[in-house]
């Protein structure tokens, strides 16, 4: 018997897994009025403990027969994922009560999604990766369908479930082909013998890799596999949408990065991802102009952001992970801030059209100020965190990708500024704002001020990501 | 083992039965026949596994696929089949797309199989020799419970989450909110 137990390596995941089991049992025994605040509080506490462990423990290495890898760069992404979980919990508490869908299992699902995301990020083994993705996916389906008496929400969840299962099948099929072609389930940089995966003679590897990457692109909502995204995000509860457009995006981009990092010279895969990136940028930005619903607009802008970030997966130097981390952190904060404000201004109605934003400035100037800040950050206007994200991204890809790739990214971000500015214009239109604004939720306020403060923080101190990852 | 695989007549018999059953599963107009021929495919696969000395996988194939999943499928078909509106749907354009897709997949897969030159590395203890000596099931158990214990444990979390989710989403009159 040689069981390679290195529990210290998965300590943060163990904390979260313990939280899942503890909360799912504890929720049954608590009285309803106690559960209302104990379960979210405990789930935030579990996430904070896991985050603290991640910050303190700076070791690195493999564990469990190399099924799990711990590296400082990956720890940073796990921290962002946990930040996303904390923000989701904060914006969900009153929101779920208002929509009368306040089941305590929601928070258990959220914690389990954190677990799946963290596992999927920190592995270079196909099967562990698949189980991580599935935990994340199944919890996402459930959270998406949590407004189960609302037809449009159930329809969105069902669409998400079917297409998500379909893409998982593709991922699994691709893994099967790659395993058949190489006899290996590992894909790590320093595990895999050099050159074996770079064999373009091996057709199984080409087919398998394309299927695997195509399935991942489905999950990432990169065009042309993005068709589900707008419908699902529109139908999902707004708090869940904030989770869906940020955390899975982090996870799948890191998987793309981990998978392609060592084998990017393998031409068919690189070209495939490059095509995905360019189509995503174009389609996302072009379709965002046509949208009337603010949630659909954000959905298409997230497709465009996937495009930018796929570029860095292909063209990067040794510090590409830090740039990816900075951009994703800025993106996560901006999306969470934005959707928290949208939850705040849509107390009585789930989906707000752009035209209905008129008169918002008169009724709630602070929301308009913050919403504009987050929109500008997504657009990448100077003096926001998103601007630095785009700048670092450009510096990283331009020397390697060359003129056309850098130029495509710049042109696409200029196009994207158009619809963001139109959106801000709607906020300042004169008129009477017809929806009621949430006034009684301290957690919601905490969430968007937290997002604002961290945004300003990483704006003033952009080196924090490099320092954490040890690139310095 | 691979050379003997292709030269053995039993393999060709089982393989052609599997292909015929698969075609029937796709082409049969009645979903009941499709279900039953799918069951036949699973039986044939189990036979191939056992013939390749992988008794454990053969047994699992029979227990899980034939015993549990297929029976569920057939129950579902029988429940739904009370209304016979299956044949009314016009599937012509789907047949075309499916045909093109499968031709495309085959045109990539057949060269991949024919041109495959490399020999796969034999990893760990799962060699032909050890299978004779120790037994496939023991070796598989070792791989599962020692090397892949983390995946097994994660699967248990996945099942827990799936059960919880199913309960939350389908329980009737779930008004006991927090």
């Amino acid at each position: 018997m040689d069981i390679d137990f290195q529990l210290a390596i998965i300590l943060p995941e163990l904390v979260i897994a313990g939280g899942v089991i503890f909360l799912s049992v504890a929720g049954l025994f608590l009285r309803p009025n106690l559960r209302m605040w104990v379960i979210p509080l405990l789930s935030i506490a579990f996430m904070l403990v896991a985050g603290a462990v991640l910050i303190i423990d700076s070791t690195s290495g493999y564990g469990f027969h190399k099924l799990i890898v711990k590296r400082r760069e990956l720890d940073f992404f796990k921290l962002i994922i946990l930040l996303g979980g904390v923000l989701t919990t904060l914006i969900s508490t009153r929101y779920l009560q208002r929509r009368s869908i306040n089941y305590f299992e929601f928070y258990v699902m959220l914690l389990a999604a954190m677990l799946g995301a963290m596992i999927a990020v920190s592995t270079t083994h196909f099967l562990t990766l698949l189980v991580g993705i599935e935990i994340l996916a199944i919890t996402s389906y459930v959270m998406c369908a949590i407004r189960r008496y609302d037809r449009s929400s159930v329809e969105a969840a069902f669409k998400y479930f079917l297409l998500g299962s379909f893409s998982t099948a593709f991922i699994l099929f691709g893994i099967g082909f790659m395993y058949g072609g190489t006899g290996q389930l590992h894909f790590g940089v320093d595990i895999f013998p050099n050159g074996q995966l770079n064999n373009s003679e091996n057709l199984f590897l080409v087919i398998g890799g394309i299927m695997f990457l195509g399935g991942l692109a489905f999950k990432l909502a990169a065009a042309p596999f993005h068709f589900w995204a707008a419908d699902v995000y529109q139908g999902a509860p707004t708090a869940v949408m904030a989770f869906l457009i940020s955390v899975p995006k982090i996870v799948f981009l890191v998987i793309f990065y981990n998978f392609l990092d060592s084998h990017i010279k393998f031409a068919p895969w690189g070209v495939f991802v490059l095509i995905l990136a360019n189509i995503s940028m174009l389609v996302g930005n072009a379709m965002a102009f046509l949208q009337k619903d603010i949630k659909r607009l954000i959905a298409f802008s997230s497709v465009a952001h996937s495009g930018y970030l796929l570029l860095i997966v292909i063209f990067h130097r040794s510090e590409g992970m830090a740039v990816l981390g900075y951009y994703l952190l800025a993106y996560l904060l901006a999306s969470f801030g934005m959707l928290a404000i949208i939850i705040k201004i849509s107390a009585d109605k789930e989906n707000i059209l752009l035209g209905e934003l008129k008169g918002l400035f008169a009724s709630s100037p602070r929301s308009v100020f913050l919403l504009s800040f987050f929109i500008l950050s997504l657009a990448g206007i100077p003096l926001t965190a998103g601007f630095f994200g785009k700048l670092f991204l450009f510096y990283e890809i331009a020397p390697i990708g060359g003129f056309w790739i850098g130029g495509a990214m710049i042109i696409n971000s200029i196009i994207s500024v158009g619809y963001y500015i139109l959106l801000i214009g709607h906020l300042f239109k004169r008129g009477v704002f017809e929806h009621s604004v949430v006034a009684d939720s301290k957690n919601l306020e905490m969430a968007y001020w937290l997002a604002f403060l961290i945004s300003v923080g990483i704006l003033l101190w952009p080196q924090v990501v490099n320092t954490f990852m040890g690139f310095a | 083992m691979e050379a003997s695989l292709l030269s053995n007549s039993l393999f060709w018999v089982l393989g052609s039965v599997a292909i015929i059953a698969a075609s029937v599963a796709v082409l049969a107009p009645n979903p009941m026949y499709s279900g039953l021929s799918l069951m036949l495919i699973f039986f044939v696969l189990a036979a191939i596994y056992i013939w390749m000395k992988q008794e454990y996988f053969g047994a699992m194939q029979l227990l899980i696929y034939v015993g549990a999943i297929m029976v569920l499928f057939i129950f579902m078909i029988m429940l739904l089949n009370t209304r016979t509106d299956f044949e009314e749907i016009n599937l012509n354009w789907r047949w075309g797309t499916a045909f093109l897709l499968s031709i495309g997949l085959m045109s990539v897969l057949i060269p991949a199989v024919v041109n495959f030159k490399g020999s796969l590395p034999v990893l760990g203890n799962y060699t032909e020799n050890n299978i004779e000596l120790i037994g496939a099931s023991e070796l598989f158990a070792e791989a599962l419970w020692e090397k892949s214990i983390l995946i097994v444990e994660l699967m248990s979390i996945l099942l827990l989450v799936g059960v919880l989710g199913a309960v939350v989403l389908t329980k009737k009159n779930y008004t006991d909110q927090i």
Side-chain angles (χ1 to χ4, degrees), chain A residues 1-2 35 65 67-68 100 102-105 109 112 115 127 131 139 145 148 177 180 182-183 203-204 207, chain B residues 108-109 112 116 120-121 123 146-147 150-151 154-155 157-158 161 164-165 168-171 174 176-178:
Chain A
M1 293 289 278
D2 67 311
R35 255 193 313 211
H65 294 282
L67 294 186
I68 281 284
S100 37
N102 204 355
Y103 313 121
F104 81 92
E105 286 92 342
M109 288 293 149
L115 174 71
L127 291 184
V131 179
T139 48
R148 62 194 190 122
F177 277 130
T182 62
L203 267 175
F204 281 116
I207 308 167
Chain B
V108 192
L109 278 184
F116 189 74
L120 295 183
L123 301 168
E146 283 183 14
K147 297 254 162 58
L150 183 73
I151 300 176
L154 283 173
M155 283 304 295
I157 297 265
L158 178 60
V161 170
L164 263 180
V168 179
L169 293 184
T170 55
K171 195 172 165 191
Y174 190 14
D176 179 29
Q177 294 168 16
I178 42 179

Side-chain angles (χ1 to χ4, degrees), chain A residues 262-274:
Chain A
S262 55
H263 319 301
I264 197 57
K265 292 191 192 73
F266 190 25
W269 296 348
V271 171
F272 182 68
V273 178
L274 185 62

Side-chain angles (χ1 to χ4, degrees), chain A residues 41 105 225 237 303 363 402:
Chain A
L41 196 69
E105 286 92 342
F225 304 112
V303 172
S363 72

